[in-house]
Amino acid sequence: ARQLIPTDVTNLDDEQICQLAQARIFADAYMVELPVCPDMLKRLADAMKVNNKLSKCSTRVSKCLNNIGFKHECEVPPSSDFWGGFMAIDLACKDRKAAIEFDGPSHFLKAIDSGKLTTQRNGTTQAKRRLLKLLGWSVISLDYREFTKARGNELGYLRSEFLREGVEL
């Protein structure tokens, strides 16, 4: 029988380590037990280090939330078992388990014929949302195009998106 999780990760590059970690995260969420490779945790911590700098638009969202007293943190792992990377929540209120994900252009699929961005979120983005919900988070997904259109009424836009997910501001 072929082993699904390698016991030796020394020959894996950072992307492969991150993919292995993502498989492990989802397995844990679905309560599927996978063996732990002793070297994986160190390699994973190194491979999944993230730049905790928010985009300009995410910073604007954070300022709006601060202005209305919505307590939150930036670049938050969904639990102590995560190291960040693609799993870091953009803006999160841990007390209320409210995750605010700001979706820039890289979160959307492109139309095959024109190459233009669609409103359909890509697989990685959708998978992350499902996982966060499995872990008990309310997920508020903000489309950068809609947020940009709401300039001058950002708070109104945020209120409607929060209400859509049943989260009060």
Side-chain angles (χ1 to χ4, degrees), residues 2-34:
R2 193 174 140 214
Q3 189 170 359
L4 295 175
I5 303 294
T7 54
D8 179 13
V9 296
T10 54
N11 293 327
L12 300 180
D13 62 28
D14 285 353
E15 183 178 342
Q16 291 167 321
I17 290 288
C18 289
Q19 288 176 356
L20 185 59
Q22 290 170 16
R24 174 166 210 83
I25 289 165
F26 280 90
D28 288 348
Y30 285 103
M31 293 182 219
V32 174
E33 212 169 301
L34 294 176

PDB file of all heavy atoms in Angstrom, residues 2-34:
ATOM      1  N   ARG A   2       0.503   2.214  -0.806  1.00  0.00           N
ATOM      2  CA  ARG A   2       1.245   3.465  -0.913  1.00  0.00           C
ATOM      3  C   ARG A   2       0.902   4.376   0.262  1.00  0.00           C
ATOM      4  O   ARG A   2      -0.259   4.557   0.601  1.00  0.00           O
ATOM      5  CB  ARG A   2       0.876   4.147  -2.224  1.00  0.00           C
ATOM      6  CG  ARG A   2       1.807   5.255  -2.571  1.00  0.00           C
ATOM      7  CD  ARG A   2       1.498   5.795  -3.939  1.00  0.00           C
ATOM      8  NE  ARG A   2       1.650   7.225  -3.781  1.00  0.00           N
ATOM      9  CZ  ARG A   2       0.947   8.127  -4.409  1.00  0.00           C
ATOM     10  NH1 ARG A   2       0.039   7.781  -5.252  1.00  0.00           N
ATOM     11  NH2 ARG A   2       1.153   9.389  -4.196  1.00  0.00           N
ATOM     12  N   GLN A   3       1.905   4.970   0.868  1.00  0.00           N
ATOM     13  CA  GLN A   3       1.691   5.872   2.004  1.00  0.00           C
ATOM     14  C   GLN A   3       1.287   7.246   1.488  1.00  0.00           C
ATOM     15  O   GLN A   3       1.947   7.817   0.621  1.00  0.00           O
ATOM     16  CB  GLN A   3       2.960   5.971   2.835  1.00  0.00           C
ATOM     17  CG  GLN A   3       2.746   6.710   4.114  1.00  0.00           C
ATOM     18  CD  GLN A   3       3.949   6.588   5.020  1.00  0.00           C
ATOM     19  OE1 GLN A   3       4.919   5.942   4.686  1.00  0.00           O
ATOM     20  NE2 GLN A   3       3.864   7.212   6.168  1.00  0.00           N
ATOM     21  N   LEU A   4       0.176   7.770   2.028  1.00  0.00           N
ATOM     22  CA  LEU A   4      -0.338   9.052   1.577  1.00  0.00           C
ATOM     23  C   LEU A   4       0.473  10.233   2.092  1.00  0.00           C
ATOM     24  O   LEU A   4       0.617  11.234   1.417  1.00  0.00           O
ATOM     25  CB  LEU A   4      -1.793   9.218   2.021  1.00  0.00           C
ATOM     26  CG  LEU A   4      -2.778   8.241   1.404  1.00  0.00           C
ATOM     27  CD1 LEU A   4      -4.167   8.432   2.008  1.00  0.00           C
ATOM     28  CD2 LEU A   4      -2.830   8.406  -0.100  1.00  0.00           C
ATOM     29  N   ILE A   5       0.988  10.133   3.288  1.00  0.00           N
ATOM     30  CA  ILE A   5       1.773  11.205   3.890  1.00  0.00           C
ATOM     31  C   ILE A   5       3.219  10.739   3.987  1.00  0.00           C
ATOM     32  O   ILE A   5       3.503   9.735   4.627  1.00  0.00           O
ATOM     33  CB  ILE A   5       1.256  11.562   5.305  1.00  0.00           C
ATOM     34  CG1 ILE A   5      -0.218  11.966   5.260  1.00  0.00           C
ATOM     35  CG2 ILE A   5       2.101  12.643   5.948  1.00  0.00           C
ATOM     36  CD1 ILE A   5      -0.496  13.244   4.499  1.00  0.00           C
ATOM     37  N   PRO A   6       4.143  11.456   3.340  1.00  0.00           N
ATOM     38  CA  PRO A   6       5.542  11.027   3.400  1.00  0.00           C
ATOM     39  C   PRO A   6       6.110  11.160   4.812  1.00  0.00           C
ATOM     40  O   PRO A   6       5.720  12.048   5.563  1.00  0.00           O
ATOM     41  CB  PRO A   6       6.242  11.975   2.430  1.00  0.00           C
ATOM     42  CG  PRO A   6       5.353  13.155   2.313  1.00  0.00           C
ATOM     43  CD  PRO A   6       3.966  12.677   2.576  1.00  0.00           C
ATOM     44  N   THR A   7       7.007  10.246   5.158  1.00  0.00           N
ATOM     45  CA  THR A   7       7.650  10.336   6.476  1.00  0.00           C
ATOM     46  C   THR A   7       8.947  11.128   6.383  1.00  0.00           C
ATOM     47  O   THR A   7       9.465  11.584   7.384  1.00  0.00           O
ATOM     48  CB  THR A   7       7.948   8.931   7.038  1.00  0.00           C
ATOM     49  OG1 THR A   7       8.707   8.209   6.076  1.00  0.00           O
ATOM     50  CG2 THR A   7       6.665   8.203   7.366  1.00  0.00           C
ATOM     51  N   ASP A   8       9.456  11.308   5.177  1.00  0.00           N
ATOM     52  CA  ASP A   8      10.669  12.093   4.974  1.00  0.00           C
ATOM     53  C   ASP A   8      10.318  13.278   4.072  1.00  0.00           C
ATOM     54  O   ASP A   8       9.937  13.098   2.917  1.00  0.00           O
ATOM     55  CB  ASP A   8      11.750  11.231   4.319  1.00  0.00           C
ATOM     56  CG  ASP A   8      13.034  12.013   4.060  1.00  0.00           C
ATOM     57  OD1 ASP A   8      13.176  13.133   4.594  1.00  0.00           O
ATOM     58  OD2 ASP A   8      13.889  11.496   3.324  1.00  0.00           O
ATOM     59  N   VAL A   9      10.416  14.492   4.613  1.00  0.00           N
ATOM     60  CA  VAL A   9      10.044  15.682   3.851  1.00  0.00           C
ATOM     61  C   VAL A   9      11.252  16.495   3.399  1.00  0.00           C
ATOM     62  O   VAL A   9      11.094  17.580   2.874  1.00  0.00           O
ATOM     63  CB  VAL A   9       9.074  16.577   4.662  1.00  0.00           C
ATOM     64  CG1 VAL A   9       7.762  15.867   4.921  1.00  0.00           C
ATOM     65  CG2 VAL A   9       9.710  17.055   5.951  1.00  0.00           C
ATOM     66  N   THR A  10      12.436  15.940   3.563  1.00  0.00           N
ATOM     67  CA  THR A  10      13.643  16.705   3.237  1.00  0.00           C
ATOM     68  C   THR A  10      13.735  17.056   1.757  1.00  0.00           C
ATOM     69  O   THR A  10      14.328  18.064   1.406  1.00  0.00           O
ATOM     70  CB  THR A  10      14.920  15.940   3.664  1.00  0.00           C
ATOM     71  OG1 THR A  10      14.889  14.637   3.083  1.00  0.00           O
ATOM     72  CG2 THR A  10      15.009  15.839   5.173  1.00  0.00           C
ATOM     73  N   ASN A  11      13.153  16.237   0.886  1.00  0.00           N
ATOM     74  CA  ASN A  11      13.237  16.501  -0.551  1.00  0.00           C
ATOM     75  C   ASN A  11      12.073  17.326  -1.087  1.00  0.00           C
ATOM     76  O   ASN A  11      11.998  17.577  -2.284  1.00  0.00           O
ATOM     77  CB  ASN A  11      13.331  15.184  -1.325  1.00  0.00           C
ATOM     78  CG  ASN A  11      14.632  14.472  -1.044  1.00  0.00           C
ATOM     79  OD1 ASN A  11      15.660  15.107  -0.821  1.00  0.00           O
ATOM     80  ND2 ASN A  11      14.594  13.154  -1.024  1.00  0.00           N
ATOM     81  N   LEU A  12      11.160  17.736  -0.216  1.00  0.00           N
ATOM     82  CA  LEU A  12      10.013  18.525  -0.664  1.00  0.00           C
ATOM     83  C   LEU A  12      10.349  20.013  -0.645  1.00  0.00           C
ATOM     84  O   LEU A  12      11.017  20.492   0.261  1.00  0.00           O
ATOM     85  CB  LEU A  12       8.803  18.270   0.249  1.00  0.00           C
ATOM     86  CG  LEU A  12       8.285  16.837   0.327  1.00  0.00           C
ATOM     87  CD1 LEU A  12       7.096  16.764   1.282  1.00  0.00           C
ATOM     88  CD2 LEU A  12       7.915  16.293  -1.032  1.00  0.00           C
ATOM     89  N   ASP A  13       9.857  20.731  -1.664  1.00  0.00           N
ATOM     90  CA  ASP A  13      10.069  22.179  -1.669  1.00  0.00           C
ATOM     91  C   ASP A  13       8.980  22.849  -0.824  1.00  0.00           C
ATOM     92  O   ASP A  13       8.050  22.187  -0.346  1.00  0.00           O
ATOM     93  CB  ASP A  13      10.118  22.742  -3.092  1.00  0.00           C
ATOM     94  CG  ASP A  13       8.834  22.559  -3.889  1.00  0.00           C
ATOM     95  OD1 ASP A  13       7.736  22.496  -3.277  1.00  0.00           O
ATOM     96  OD2 ASP A  13       8.916  22.506  -5.125  1.00  0.00           O
ATOM     97  N   ASP A  14       9.081  24.158  -0.629  1.00  0.00           N
ATOM     98  CA  ASP A  14       8.145  24.875   0.235  1.00  0.00           C
ATOM     99  C   ASP A  14       6.699  24.726  -0.231  1.00  0.00           C
ATOM    100  O   ASP A  14       5.780  24.571   0.576  1.00  0.00           O
ATOM    101  CB  ASP A  14       8.504  26.357   0.327  1.00  0.00           C
ATOM    102  CG  ASP A  14       9.711  26.615   1.218  1.00  0.00           C
ATOM    103  OD1 ASP A  14      10.194  25.657   1.864  1.00  0.00           O
ATOM    104  OD2 ASP A  14      10.160  27.772   1.274  1.00  0.00           O
ATOM    105  N   GLU A  15       6.473  24.783  -1.548  1.00  0.00           N
ATOM    106  CA  GLU A  15       5.110  24.655  -2.071  1.00  0.00           C
ATOM    107  C   GLU A  15       4.536  23.278  -1.739  1.00  0.00           C
ATOM    108  O   GLU A  15       3.377  23.161  -1.333  1.00  0.00           O
ATOM    109  CB  GLU A  15       5.084  24.889  -3.582  1.00  0.00           C
ATOM    110  CG  GLU A  15       3.673  24.840  -4.144  1.00  0.00           C
ATOM    111  CD  GLU A  15       3.625  25.110  -5.640  1.00  0.00           C
ATOM    112  OE1 GLU A  15       4.589  25.659  -6.186  1.00  0.00           O
ATOM    113  OE2 GLU A  15       2.597  24.768  -6.239  1.00  0.00           O
ATOM    114  N   GLN A  16       5.340  22.237  -1.884  1.00  0.00           N
ATOM    115  CA  GLN A  16       4.875  20.888  -1.563  1.00  0.00           C
ATOM    116  C   GLN A  16       4.589  20.747  -0.066  1.00  0.00           C
ATOM    117  O   GLN A  16       3.605  20.121   0.335  1.00  0.00           O
ATOM    118  CB  GLN A  16       5.899  19.853  -2.013  1.00  0.00           C
ATOM    119  CG  GLN A  16       6.007  19.753  -3.525  1.00  0.00           C
ATOM    120  CD  GLN A  16       7.223  18.961  -3.968  1.00  0.00           C
ATOM    121  OE1 GLN A  16       8.301  19.069  -3.378  1.00  0.00           O
ATOM    122  NE2 GLN A  16       7.043  18.161  -5.014  1.00  0.00           N
ATOM    123  N   ILE A  17       5.423  21.356   0.768  1.00  0.00           N
ATOM    124  CA  ILE A  17       5.198  21.335   2.222  1.00  0.00           C
ATOM    125  C   ILE A  17       3.877  22.035   2.547  1.00  0.00           C
ATOM    126  O   ILE A  17       3.073  21.549   3.343  1.00  0.00           O
ATOM    127  CB  ILE A  17       6.369  22.001   2.975  1.00  0.00           C
ATOM    128  CG1 ILE A  17       7.629  21.131   2.903  1.00  0.00           C
ATOM    129  CG2 ILE A  17       6.005  22.307   4.424  1.00  0.00           C
ATOM    130  CD1 ILE A  17       7.573  19.876   3.753  1.00  0.00           C
ATOM    131  N   CYS A  18       3.632  23.186   1.912  1.00  0.00           N
ATOM    132  CA  CYS A  18       2.387  23.916   2.152  1.00  0.00           C
ATOM    133  C   CYS A  18       1.171  23.110   1.702  1.00  0.00           C
ATOM    134  O   CYS A  18       0.146  23.090   2.385  1.00  0.00           O
ATOM    135  CB  CYS A  18       2.410  25.276   1.465  1.00  0.00           C
ATOM    136  SG  CYS A  18       3.552  26.442   2.261  1.00  0.00           S
ATOM    137  N   GLN A  19       1.282  22.423   0.560  1.00  0.00           N
ATOM    138  CA  GLN A  19       0.182  21.587   0.095  1.00  0.00           C
ATOM    139  C   GLN A  19      -0.077  20.445   1.069  1.00  0.00           C
ATOM    140  O   GLN A  19      -1.229  20.110   1.358  1.00  0.00           O
ATOM    141  CB  GLN A  19       0.475  21.041  -1.302  1.00  0.00           C
ATOM    142  CG  GLN A  19       0.374  22.095  -2.375  1.00  0.00           C
ATOM    143  CD  GLN A  19       0.768  21.576  -3.743  1.00  0.00           C
ATOM    144  OE1 GLN A  19       1.201  20.445  -3.912  1.00  0.00           O
ATOM    145  NE2 GLN A  19       0.621  22.424  -4.742  1.00  0.00           N
ATOM    146  N   LEU A  20       0.983  19.868   1.582  1.00  0.00           N
ATOM    147  CA  LEU A  20       0.860  18.807   2.575  1.00  0.00           C
ATOM    148  C   LEU A  20       0.176  19.345   3.836  1.00  0.00           C
ATOM    149  O   LEU A  20      -0.715  18.707   4.409  1.00  0.00           O
ATOM    150  CB  LEU A  20       2.246  18.249   2.903  1.00  0.00           C
ATOM    151  CG  LEU A  20       2.328  17.054   3.829  1.00  0.00           C
ATOM    152  CD1 LEU A  20       1.558  15.872   3.269  1.00  0.00           C
ATOM    153  CD2 LEU A  20       3.798  16.664   4.024  1.00  0.00           C
ATOM    154  N   ALA A  21       0.558  20.534   4.245  1.00  0.00           N
ATOM    155  CA  ALA A  21      -0.050  21.163   5.425  1.00  0.00           C
ATOM    156  C   ALA A  21      -1.529  21.447   5.186  1.00  0.00           C
ATOM    157  O   ALA A  21      -2.354  21.230   6.072  1.00  0.00           O
ATOM    158  CB  ALA A  21       0.682  22.452   5.769  1.00  0.00           C
ATOM    159  N   GLN A  22      -1.862  21.911   3.992  1.00  0.00           N
ATOM    160  CA  GLN A  22      -3.259  22.186   3.678  1.00  0.00           C
ATOM    161  C   GLN A  22      -4.083  20.900   3.720  1.00  0.00           C
ATOM    162  O   GLN A  22      -5.190  20.882   4.267  1.00  0.00           O
ATOM    163  CB  GLN A  22      -3.369  22.867   2.314  1.00  0.00           C
ATOM    164  CG  GLN A  22      -2.827  24.271   2.328  1.00  0.00           C
ATOM    165  CD  GLN A  22      -2.694  24.872   0.943  1.00  0.00           C
ATOM    166  OE1 GLN A  22      -3.271  24.373  -0.022  1.00  0.00           O
ATOM    167  NE2 GLN A  22      -1.943  25.951   0.838  1.00  0.00           N
ATOM    168  N   ALA A  23      -3.533  19.812   3.186  1.00  0.00           N
ATOM    169  CA  ALA A  23      -4.229  18.524   3.245  1.00  0.00           C
ATOM    170  C   ALA A  23      -4.447  18.121   4.703  1.00  0.00           C
ATOM    171  O   ALA A  23      -5.524  17.656   5.082  1.00  0.00           O
ATOM    172  CB  ALA A  23      -3.427  17.453   2.506  1.00  0.00           C
ATOM    173  N   ARG A  24      -3.432  18.327   5.509  1.00  0.00           N
ATOM    174  CA  ARG A  24      -3.526  17.984   6.935  1.00  0.00           C
ATOM    175  C   ARG A  24      -4.587  18.832   7.651  1.00  0.00           C
ATOM    176  O   ARG A  24      -5.359  18.342   8.460  1.00  0.00           O
ATOM    177  CB  ARG A  24      -2.164  18.176   7.593  1.00  0.00           C
ATOM    178  CG  ARG A  24      -2.194  17.990   9.060  1.00  0.00           C
ATOM    179  CD  ARG A  24      -0.823  17.838   9.665  1.00  0.00           C
ATOM    180  NE  ARG A  24      -1.028  16.996  10.803  1.00  0.00           N
ATOM    181  CZ  ARG A  24      -1.091  15.665  10.783  1.00  0.00           C
ATOM    182  NH1 ARG A  24      -0.867  15.007   9.711  1.00  0.00           N
ATOM    183  NH2 ARG A  24      -1.349  14.987  11.872  1.00  0.00           N
ATOM    184  N   ILE A  25      -4.635  20.143   7.343  1.00  0.00           N
ATOM    185  CA  ILE A  25      -5.614  21.039   7.947  1.00  0.00           C
ATOM    186  C   ILE A  25      -7.031  20.569   7.627  1.00  0.00           C
ATOM    187  O   ILE A  25      -7.898  20.490   8.504  1.00  0.00           O
ATOM    188  CB  ILE A  25      -5.386  22.491   7.464  1.00  0.00           C
ATOM    189  CG1 ILE A  25      -4.103  23.059   8.074  1.00  0.00           C
ATOM    190  CG2 ILE A  25      -6.579  23.377   7.793  1.00  0.00           C
ATOM    191  CD1 ILE A  25      -3.610  24.327   7.402  1.00  0.00           C
ATOM    192  N   PHE A  26      -7.280  20.256   6.355  1.00  0.00           N
ATOM    193  CA  PHE A  26      -8.607  19.803   5.962  1.00  0.00           C
ATOM    194  C   PHE A  26      -8.927  18.443   6.575  1.00  0.00           C
ATOM    195  O   PHE A  26     -10.051  18.206   7.017  1.00  0.00           O
ATOM    196  CB  PHE A  26      -8.748  19.775   4.437  1.00  0.00           C
ATOM    197  CG  PHE A  26      -9.030  21.128   3.861  1.00  0.00           C
ATOM    198  CD1 PHE A  26      -7.994  21.962   3.487  1.00  0.00           C
ATOM    199  CD2 PHE A  26     -10.330  21.584   3.723  1.00  0.00           C
ATOM    200  CE1 PHE A  26      -8.243  23.223   2.972  1.00  0.00           C
ATOM    201  CE2 PHE A  26     -10.593  22.847   3.217  1.00  0.00           C
ATOM    202  CZ  PHE A  26      -9.547  23.668   2.837  1.00  0.00           C
ATOM    203  N   ALA A  27      -7.954  17.551   6.621  1.00  0.00           N
ATOM    204  CA  ALA A  27      -8.167  16.240   7.250  1.00  0.00           C
ATOM    205  C   ALA A  27      -8.553  16.419   8.713  1.00  0.00           C
ATOM    206  O   ALA A  27      -9.497  15.778   9.200  1.00  0.00           O
ATOM    207  CB  ALA A  27      -6.912  15.374   7.120  1.00  0.00           C
ATOM    208  N   ASP A  28      -7.845  17.288   9.417  1.00  0.00           N
ATOM    209  CA  ASP A  28      -8.164  17.556  10.821  1.00  0.00           C
ATOM    210  C   ASP A  28      -9.590  18.086  10.970  1.00  0.00           C
ATOM    211  O   ASP A  28     -10.321  17.674  11.866  1.00  0.00           O
ATOM    212  CB  ASP A  28      -7.180  18.553  11.432  1.00  0.00           C
ATOM    213  CG  ASP A  28      -5.789  17.974  11.671  1.00  0.00           C
ATOM    214  OD1 ASP A  28      -5.632  16.738  11.583  1.00  0.00           O
ATOM    215  OD2 ASP A  28      -4.870  18.761  11.939  1.00  0.00           O
ATOM    216  N   ALA A  29      -9.977  19.017  10.086  1.00  0.00           N
ATOM    217  CA  ALA A  29     -11.318  19.602  10.168  1.00  0.00           C
ATOM    218  C   ALA A  29     -12.400  18.544   9.945  1.00  0.00           C
ATOM    219  O   ALA A  29     -13.473  18.612  10.531  1.00  0.00           O
ATOM    220  CB  ALA A  29     -11.462  20.732   9.157  1.00  0.00           C
ATOM    221  N   TYR A  30     -12.100  17.561   9.094  1.00  0.00           N
ATOM    222  CA  TYR A  30     -13.058  16.488   8.818  1.00  0.00           C
ATOM    223  C   TYR A  30     -12.829  15.273   9.714  1.00  0.00           C
ATOM    224  O   TYR A  30     -13.383  14.212   9.492  1.00  0.00           O
ATOM    225  CB  TYR A  30     -12.989  16.076   7.349  1.00  0.00           C
ATOM    226  CG  TYR A  30     -13.654  17.076   6.435  1.00  0.00           C
ATOM    227  CD1 TYR A  30     -12.899  17.963   5.684  1.00  0.00           C
ATOM    228  CD2 TYR A  30     -15.036  17.130   6.325  1.00  0.00           C
ATOM    229  CE1 TYR A  30     -13.510  18.885   4.840  1.00  0.00           C
ATOM    230  CE2 TYR A  30     -15.654  18.041   5.487  1.00  0.00           C
ATOM    231  CZ  TYR A  30     -14.884  18.912   4.746  1.00  0.00           C
ATOM    232  OH  TYR A  30     -15.498  19.810   3.922  1.00  0.00           O
ATOM    233  N   MET A  31     -11.965  15.458  10.735  1.00  0.00           N
ATOM    234  CA  MET A  31     -11.648  14.423  11.719  1.00  0.00           C
ATOM    235  C   MET A  31     -11.096  13.141  11.092  1.00  0.00           C
ATOM    236  O   MET A  31     -11.444  12.037  11.483  1.00  0.00           O
ATOM    237  CB  MET A  31     -12.872  14.127  12.581  1.00  0.00           C
ATOM    238  CG  MET A  31     -13.239  15.312  13.447  1.00  0.00           C
ATOM    239  SD  MET A  31     -14.642  14.916  14.473  1.00  0.00           S
ATOM    240  CE  MET A  31     -15.516  16.452  14.403  1.00  0.00           C
ATOM    241  N   VAL A  32     -10.229  13.318  10.103  1.00  0.00           N
ATOM    242  CA  VAL A  32      -9.505  12.207   9.501  1.00  0.00           C
ATOM    243  C   VAL A  32      -8.099  12.245  10.068  1.00  0.00           C
ATOM    244  O   VAL A  32      -7.421  13.273   9.992  1.00  0.00           O
ATOM    245  CB  VAL A  32      -9.465  12.337   7.951  1.00  0.00           C
ATOM    246  CG1 VAL A  32      -8.585  11.258   7.343  1.00  0.00           C
ATOM    247  CG2 VAL A  32     -10.873  12.296   7.382  1.00  0.00           C
ATOM    248  N   GLU A  33      -7.670  11.149  10.652  1.00  0.00           N
ATOM    249  CA  GLU A  33      -6.364  11.135  11.309  1.00  0.00           C
ATOM    250  C   GLU A  33      -5.262  10.822  10.292  1.00  0.00           C
ATOM    251  O   GLU A  33      -5.350   9.856   9.537  1.00  0.00           O
ATOM    252  CB  GLU A  33      -6.358  10.060  12.405  1.00  0.00           C
ATOM    253  CG  GLU A  33      -5.475  10.441  13.564  1.00  0.00           C
ATOM    254  CD  GLU A  33      -5.677   9.511  14.742  1.00  0.00           C
ATOM    255  OE1 GLU A  33      -6.815   9.420  15.227  1.00  0.00           O
ATOM    256  OE2 GLU A  33      -4.685   8.877  15.120  1.00  0.00           O
ATOM    257  N   LEU A  34      -4.255  11.664  10.280  1.00  0.00           N
ATOM    258  CA  LEU A  34      -3.089  11.455   9.424  1.00  0.00           C
ATOM    259  C   LEU A  34      -1.849  11.405  10.302  1.00  0.00           C
ATOM    260  O   LEU A  34      -1.772  12.103  11.314  1.00  0.00           O
ATOM    261  CB  LEU A  34      -2.939  12.607   8.422  1.00  0.00           C
ATOM    262  CG  LEU A  34      -4.024  12.764   7.364  1.00  0.00           C
ATOM    263  CD1 LEU A  34      -3.760  14.000   6.524  1.00  0.00           C
ATOM    264  CD2 LEU A  34      -4.119  11.531   6.486  1.00  0.00           C
TER     265      LEU A  34
END
